[in-house]
Amino acid sequence: NDLFLNIKFNESEIKYRREKLGYCSNDKVFVFSGILSGWQSVDLLKQFFELLLSKEQNAKILFLSNESDVIDQLIKLYPTRI
């Protein structure tokens, strides 16, 4: 499907969108999109995100997901990065 092949963003548009979402130019933004539920190994996912955030100081995570205890726990640990 070629629907998304013609979508292009210029640098000023990317900068505008990042700033609008509260991200700095040097932030590395990781996006999780989906449902967080127990059968999806959320504990493993949480461990991965904790490791990532502890090792990479510019990492931030954007969750496009349902509310979750995992997200709440990560917010408590890294309040400015989730």
Side-chain angles (χ1 to χ4, degrees), residues 18 21-34 36 45-46 48-65 71 74 78 80-82:
R18 287 176 68 89
L21 290 170
Y23 299 119
C24 298
S25 61
N26 64 338
D27 287 339
K28 295 178 183 176
V29 182
F30 295 83
V31 178
F32 177 89
S33 177
L36 288 167
L45 186 65
K46 181 178 177 265
F48 169 76
F49 284 140
E50 286 177 340
L51 180 64
L52 173 70
L53 292 168
S54 69
K55 300 270 184 201
E56 183 60 55
Q57 295 305 308
N58 292 336
K60 294 192 176 181
I61 302 171
L62 173 62
F63 283 97
L64 305 175
S65 181
I71 297 171
L74 288 169
Y78 303 96
T80 61
R81 298 171 65 196
I82 306 294

Side-chain angles (χ1 to χ4, degrees), residues 1-53:
N1 189 337
D2 294 342
L3 178 64
F4 298 107
L5 293 178
N6 295 323
I7 297 175
K8 295 186 175 32
F9 295 99
N10 61 39
E11 288 297 318
S12 63
E13 178 70 16
I14 293 169
K15 182 180 178 190
Y16 169 77
R17 301 254 179 216
R18 287 176 68 89
E19 287 175 356
K20 189 173 179 179
L21 290 170
Y23 299 119
C24 298
S25 61
N26 64 338
D27 287 339
K28 295 178 183 176
V29 182
F30 295 83
V31 178
F32 177 89
S33 177
I35 295 173
L36 288 167
S37 49
W39 63 271
Q40 295 174 310
S41 301
V42 264
D43 290 333
L44 183 61
L45 186 65
K46 181 178 177 265
Q47 289 174 9
F48 169 76
F49 284 140
E50 286 177 340
L51 180 64
L52 173 70
L53 292 168

Side-chain angles (χ1 to χ4, degrees), residues 61-77:
I61 302 171
L62 173 62
F63 283 97
L64 305 175
S65 181
N66 56 313
E67 291 184 17
S68 164
D69 290 340
V70 169
I71 297 171
D72 292 340
Q73 292 167 14
L74 288 169
I75 289 171
K76 285 180 185 175
L77 293 171

